[in-house]
Coordinates of all heavy atoms in Angstrom, one line a residue:
Q50 N -5.5 7.7 -5.1 CA -5.1 7.7 -3.7 C -4.5 9.1 -3.4 O -5.1 9.9 -2.8 CB -4.1 6.6 -3.4 CG -3.5 6.5 -2.0 CD -4.6 6.0 -1.0 OE1 -5.8 6.3 -1.2 NE2 -4.2 5.4 0.0
H90 N -4.0 -3.4 2.5 CA -4.2 -2.4 3.6 C -5.1 -1.3 3.2 O -5.7 -0.7 4.1 CB -2.8 -1.9 4.0 CG -2.3 -0.8 3.1 ND1 -1.7 -1.0 1.9 CD2 -2.3 0.6 3.3 CE1 -1.4 0.2 1.3 NE2 -1.7 1.1 2.2
D91 N -5.3 -1.0 1.9 CA -6.2 0.1 1.5 C -7.3 -0.4 0.7 O -7.8 0.2 -0.3 CB -5.5 1.2 0.8 CG -4.8 2.2 1.7 OD1 -5.3 2.4 2.8 OD2 -3.8 2.9 1.3
F93 N -10.4 -0.4 0.5 CA -11.7 0.1 0.8 C -12.6 0.2 -0.4 O -13.8 0.4 -0.3 CB -11.5 1.5 1.5 CG -10.5 2.4 0.9 CD1 -10.9 3.2 -0.2 CD2 -9.2 2.5 1.4 CE1 -10.0 4.1 -0.8 CE2 -8.3 3.3 0.8 CZ -8.6 4.1 -0.3
H113 N -11.2 4.3 7.1 CA -10.9 3.4 5.9 C -10.2 2.1 6.3 O -10.4 1.0 5.6 CB -10.3 4.1 4.8 CG -8.8 4.3 4.9 ND1 -8.2 5.4 5.5 CD2 -7.7 3.5 4.6 CE1 -6.9 5.3 5.5 NE2 -6.6 4.1 4.9
H138 N -2.6 0.2 10.0 CA -1.6 0.9 9.2 C -1.7 2.4 9.3 O -0.7 3.1 8.9 CB -1.8 0.4 7.7 CG -2.9 1.0 6.9 ND1 -4.1 0.5 6.9 CD2 -2.9 2.2 6.2 CE1 -4.9 1.3 6.2 NE2 -4.2 2.3 5.7
M139 N -2.8 2.9 9.8 CA -2.9 4.4 10.0 C -2.4 4.9 11.4 O -2.5 6.1 11.7 CB -4.3 4.9 9.7 CG -4.7 4.8 8.3 SD -3.7 5.8 7.2 CE -4.3 7.4 7.6
D160 N 3.9 2.6 4.3 CA 2.7 3.4 3.9 C 3.0 4.9 4.0 O 2.7 5.7 3.2 CB 1.5 2.9 4.6 CG 0.2 3.6 4.1 OD1 0.0 3.6 2.9 OD2 -0.5 4.1 5.0
Ligands
FE2_13 FE1 -4.6 3.8 4.2

Side-chain angles (χ1 to χ4, degrees):
Q50 180 71 328
H90 81 282
D91 274 335
F93 44 85
H113 79 270
H138 80 271
M139 289 301 285
D160 183 49

